Amino acid sequence: MRLFLPVLVSLAFVLPVSAQVKVPESQAEISLSFAPLVKEAAPAVVNIFANRVVQQSESPFRGNPMFEELFRGFGATRPRVQNSLGSGVILSDDGIVVSNYHVVGMATEIRVVLTDRREFEAEILLADQDSDLAILKINSDTPLPHLDLRDSDDVEVGELALAIGNPFGIGQTVTSGIVSGLARSGMATGNARGYFLQTDAAINPGNSGGALIDAKGQLIGVNTSILTRSGGSNGVGFAIPANLVARYVEQARAGNETFTQAWAGIYGQAVDYSLAEGFGLSVPEGVVITSMHAASPFATAGLEAGDIVLSVDGQPVNTPAEMLFRMSVRPVGGMIEVEYLSDGEIQTVDVGLIVAPDTPDRDTRTIRGGTLAGLTVANINPAVQSELKLPTSVSEGVVVLNIDGPLARVGLRVGDVLSAINGDVVETTKDVDEASEARSRNWRIDGVRGGQRFSYRFRI
């Protein structure tokens, strides 16, 4: 095997003898260096060490792509400590810290280390896997350095940006670049519903949860992911906008352990060129509503399937993720102004921000006896639909919440929507309870997973 070693080229510049080090005397001279900015902002960016205990299977099929899923649950499990390393940002002098969920989520022990080497134990106030955000709290006898949040809606492409974090665990590192894109959505985080700022400032493993700051030292985003083929930075990194971070901090201070998300109750898709032609638009823009729940606040405001949402609170929306983001940065119970196209006319209406209603009754049941013992199911309503991230089109029926016991080996998964058991239609949790009492050796369970129908047959 041939090895190719990188060649380092050193360039030497000869300075005049008279050249002297000069203290910057104006803002223009200071802006030539990031040093004053970094000196002020860096103490608010921390290293985070998290430990979590996971159950590792001792099955001989673990890691085998062909048999691991088939023999899922086979063999004993043993606890194993899993470590993670990342970054965080202090947002207040009383110790509110933001980081990524994938850094601290489900952790049993979290240590926050400041640049002055002080260490603090941290507790999670609020964590959300979908947004990949976690709000932590550390306690200090003295006020802590912190960064101010900037209105991320004012951020423009081309602005200078610095990424500060702890890549590869080598210590705090600063990289520079610009904001290279806005309103990026569907990238690799959570359930791919994210909405990000894009930067070419180098972000590497360990930078997760670190700060993306502007030229004034304000936090414009929390670094979260990159697009890469090699595992290293290719100049395409993503940060969660500060406006969403501010909403999470607000709810964490209010005592929420989970993020309260406004419910839209609609399903939509981005308007592409072919759809734009069909709707008579000169350019592709907006999100067309393809389906809508009867209880949706958009329906209450007068919108219908086929309408195109163009903007929310004056900000254009061109993907469902942008709509979700615009709703997420406004408090539940308030209103948003929605501009939409209906029957060729542009209209504006106020839409209320509500939580997903928990009606009709979900009637959660855990089957205690019979063949289906250990299966927990619930009737689908908007709240259940929202919690499990079910498509808006799946508005009724019975969904699997948990699987314990022998039935776990059959292949059912959380989020599966049951349609029939042994040929009998399933409409409510009561139907599942009754079906479990059947005296039969041959069983068949039909349902829908991710829009695809499935059927499991087994014998007892």
Side-chain angles (χ1 to χ4, degrees):
M1 181 175 65
R2 301 176 62 185
L3 298 179
F4 294 86
L5 300 179
V7 178
L8 301 180
V9 179
S10 175
L11 300 180
F13 297 89
V14 179
L15 297 178
V17 176
S18 59
Q20 297 179 354
V21 177
K22 180 183 177 182
V23 177
E25 297 178 352
S26 67
Q27 182 62 40
E29 291 179 347
I30 292 175
S31 65
L32 297 177
S33 171
F34 292 126
L37 177 61
V38 173
K39 186 176 182 180
E40 181 179 350
V45 182
V46 300
N47 297 339
I48 293 181
F49 302 88
N51 298 328
R52 62 175 64 88
V53 177
V54 297
Q55 296 296 325
Q56 179 174 290
S57 173
E58 295 182 335
S59 168
F61 303 106
R62 185 169 62 88
N64 187 304
M66 181 176 296
F67 296 108
E68 181 175 28
E69 180 63 24
L70 183 62
F71 291 95
R72 184 160 55 96
F74 179 84
T77 60
R78 60 183 177 86
R80 180 175 65 87
V81 177
Q82 190 177 70
N83 302 313
S84 65
L85 171 69
S87 306
V89 186
I90 305 175
L91 298 180
S92 65
D93 59 6
D94 63 344
I96 293 294
V97 179
V98 62
S99 185
N100 285 146
Y101 180 92
H102 75 260
V103 173
V104 300
M106 308 301 292
T108 54
E109 180 184 0
I110 304 172
R111 286 189 302 120
V112 173
V113 183
L114 276 60
T115 55
D116 60 11
R117 298 185 180 181
R118 284 185 294 168
E119 296 189 14
F120 298 90
E121 295 293 328
E123 64 172 324
I124 298 177
L125 299 183
L126 187 155
D128 183 70
Q129 187 172 10
D130 291 338
S131 66
D132 200 21
L133 280 175
I135 307 300
L136 313 177
K137 181 69 170 65
I138 60 177
N139 297 311
S140 172
D141 295 333
T142 58
L144 295 168
H146 63 280
L147 294 182
D148 294 327
L149 293 170
R150 176 181 166 184
D151 184 351
S152 53
D153 285 345
D154 293 338
V155 175
E156 297 180 333
V157 173
E159 285 192 36
L160 291 174
L162 299 182
I164 309 177
N166 180 24
F168 302 108
I170 62 175
Q172 191 176 83
T173 301
V174 181
T175 54
S176 66
I178 62 171
V179 176
S180 53
L182 305 174
R184 300 303 194 215
S185 58
M187 303 304 168
T189 187
N191 64 356
R193 297 185 308 144
Y195 175 95
F196 307 98
L197 302 177
Q198 180 181 315
T199 181
D200 65 349
I203 298 175
N204 289 294
N207 269 113
S208 294
L212 187 69
I213 63 173
D214 63 12
K216 294 183 179 180
Q218 295 177 309
L219 186 74
I220 60 176
V222 173
N223 301 322
T224 186
S225 61
I226 59 175
L227 285 184
T228 179
R229 294 180 179 178
S230 63
S233 174
N234 288 335
V236 184
F238 302 100
I240 301 168
N243 284 5
L244 186 60
V245 175
R247 188 61 58 205
Y248 274 75
V249 171
E250 179 182 290
Q251 292 201 18
R253 285 193 178 280
N256 291 15
E257 295 183 359
T258 57
F259 185 68
T260 301
Q261 175 79 50
W263 179 69
I266 61 175
Y267 189 82
Q269 70 179 78
V271 175
D272 57 19
Y273 181 75
S274 60
L275 284 174
E277 281 190 320
F279 283 104
L281 297 174
S282 57
V283 294
E285 60 178 335
V287 176
V288 60
I289 299 174
T290 56
S291 63
M292 180 181 297
H293 195 282
S296 166
F298 285 81
T300 303
L303 280 77
E304 300 177 348
D307 291 343
I308 299 177
V309 177
L310 301 174
S311 70
V312 173
D313 285 340
Q315 298 289 338
V317 292
N318 292 308
T319 66
E322 289 183 61
M323 280 193 62
L324 179 63
F325 173 79
R326 292 298 164 196
M327 296 177 66
S328 298
V329 297
R330 297 290 182 265
V332 174
M335 306 286 286
I336 54 174
E337 183 182 79
V338 175
E339 183 184 58
Y340 67 102
L341 179 68
S342 180
D343 295 328
E345 295 185 3
I346 295 179
Q347 303 183 43
T348 302
V349 69
D350 290 334
V351 176
L353 295 179
I354 65 172
V355 295
D358 198 12
T359 55
D361 186 9
R362 64 177 67 193
D363 190 24
T364 301
R365 298 191 185 204
T366 298
I367 310 303
R368 302 298 181 185
T371 303
L372 304 181
L375 180 66
T376 302
V377 292
N379 295 326
I380 298 174
N381 63 25
V384 173
Q385 189 181 60
S386 179
E387 291 166 10
L388 297 180
K389 309 299 183 294
L390 299 176
T392 309
S393 56
V394 182
S395 58
E396 57 185 16
V398 176
V399 65
V400 175
L401 298 183
N402 191 38
I403 313 157
D404 285 325
L407 199 63
R409 301 181 184 179
V410 172
L412 286 177
R413 300 178 186 174
V414 173
D416 286 346
V417 178
L418 305 182
S419 58
I421 298 177
N422 287 344
D424 294 328
V425 175
V426 171
E427 295 181 340
T428 68
T429 57
K430 182 180 178 181
D431 296 333
V432 179
D433 214 346
E434 293 177 350
S436 182
E437 299 174 359
R439 296 180 179 275
S440 174
R441 294 187 59 82
N442 298 307
W443 284 77
R444 172 177 171 176
I445 299 179
D446 299 308
V448 177
R449 176 188 301 155
Q452 301 295 320
R453 293 188 177 277
F454 67 79
S455 181
Y456 287 114
R457 298 171 184 267
F458 57 98
R459 182 180 175 86
I460 61 170

